[in-house]
Amino acid sequence: MSADDLPASWRPALEPELATPPMRRLGGFLAAEEAAGKRIFPPRGQRLAALQLTPLETVRVVILGQDPYHGAGQAHGLAFSVPRGVRIPPSLVNIDKELATDLGIARADHGNLEAWARQGVLLLNTTLTVEEARAGAHAGAGWEGFTDAVVAAVAASRDPAVFILWGSHAQGKAARVAGLGAEGPHLVIRSPHPSPLSAHRGFFGSRPFSRANEFLTAHGRGAIDWRR
């Protein structure tokens, strides 16, 4: 990945990270994996889709997950989202259940979350690639510093934002929001991951959508329309 791959609004904040040894190693790792015939998701050209659809200055909410879906045709660069026509994955089914309970929004007939992204909801995973059928395969490969920098860039803004951290990997980024121990102008919402393995441990009933909108409205940033 080069600076030219970064959307213009993110370039000043993220370009320095591209020159770090972990990012250089990541580039070599991904090239070697693909040369060995392994299928990497999402495909090239979609790995920074979250940044492309949500410019830095528009970010109002960050939803942070773990790594992309690892089934063919699922991941397209937005955390928890799948293209139209692809079966809605279990984690997103549970997100929709909480959305219905929280705001009364009926489940959509597709799993594409681009409508959220275009409103300033940054749908970010802590790791931006995965090997087919191997969840977590690229954890520790080098993406963590890059996504740290993404979170820090949003946190550095004076405009209040909401950080929704789902699962332990996402919650590991909390320090990037909190800085020296104060969350500053931002709201941080932590809960278990919405996967079937953990959703009943506190994700259900966490009301992240209404809490985010209440905060944004109170700070003059406008509510998100969570329909899609």
Side-chain angles (χ1 to χ4, degrees), residues 84-109:
R84 286 176 179 266
V86 174
R87 183 178 180 180
I88 299 176
S91 290
L92 185 51
V93 169
N94 285 339
I95 290 169
D96 284 344
K97 288 179 180 178
E98 179 61 20
L99 189 57
T101 300
D102 189 9
L103 292 176
I105 294 175
R107 176 177 170 178
D109 61 0

Side-chain angles (χ1 to χ4, degrees), residues 16-109:
E17 184 63 29
L18 297 184
T20 63
M23 284 302 292
R24 290 199 297 268
R25 287 194 295 271
L26 174 65
F29 167 77
L30 291 175
E33 292 288 279
E34 290 172 330
K38 296 179 180 179
R39 298 184 71 186
I40 307 301
F41 301 136
R44 289 177 180 268
Q46 295 184 6
R47 293 169 188 172
L48 299 182
L51 305 183
Q52 292 160 355
L53 286 175
T54 313
L56 176 56
E57 66 274 10
T58 72
V59 177
R60 293 187 283 162
V61 178
V62 178
I63 292 181
L64 198 59
Q66 184 171 336
D67 60 352
Y69 296 123
H70 54 81
Q74 292 182 306
H76 65 137
L78 304 178
F80 299 104
S81 178
V82 292
R84 286 176 179 266
V86 174
R87 183 178 180 180
I88 299 176
S91 290
L92 185 51
V93 169
N94 285 339
I95 290 169
D96 284 344
K97 288 179 180 178
E98 179 61 20
L99 189 57
T101 300
D102 189 9
L103 292 176
I105 294 175
R107 176 177 170 178
D109 61 0

Side-chain angles (χ1 to χ4, degrees), residues 68-207:
Y69 296 123
H70 54 81
Q74 292 182 306
H76 65 137
L78 304 178
F80 299 104
S81 178
V82 292
R84 286 176 179 266
V86 174
R87 183 178 180 180
I88 299 176
S91 290
L92 185 51
V93 169
N94 285 339
I95 290 169
D96 284 344
K97 288 179 180 178
E98 179 61 20
L99 189 57
T101 300
D102 189 9
L103 292 176
I105 294 175
R107 176 177 170 178
D109 61 0
H110 64 88
N112 191 310
L113 303 181
E114 289 184 11
W116 294 4
R118 296 185 189 281
Q119 293 182 74
V121 180
L122 181 65
L123 296 161
L124 185 70
N125 282 309
T126 58
T127 301
L128 300 188
T129 54
V130 70
E131 182 184 341
E132 183 177 25
R134 291 191 62 213
H138 292 180
W143 281 118
E144 289 79 6
F146 182 80
T147 53
D148 277 352
V150 173
V151 171
V154 179
S157 173
R158 296 179 181 177
D159 294 324
V162 181
F163 290 80
I164 300 175
L165 312 181
W166 285 336
S168 59
H169 285 81
Q171 290 171 31
K173 301 285 192 190
R176 299 291 169 178
V177 181
L180 298 176
E183 291 173 356
H186 308 301
L187 172 65
V188 179
I189 299 173
R190 301 171 176 86
S191 79
H193 195 277
S195 76
L197 294 175
S198 56
H200 290 279
R201 299 174 186 168
F203 171 76
F204 289 133
S206 60
R207 300 178 50 250

Side-chain angles (χ1 to χ4, degrees), residues 199-226:
H200 290 279
R201 299 174 186 168
F203 171 76
F204 289 133
S206 60
R207 300 178 50 250
F209 308 103
S210 62
R211 291 165 65 190
N213 277 354
E214 288 165 5
F215 178 86
L216 292 171
T217 301
H219 288 81
R221 301 211 68 195
I224 303 295
D225 181 354
W226 294 104

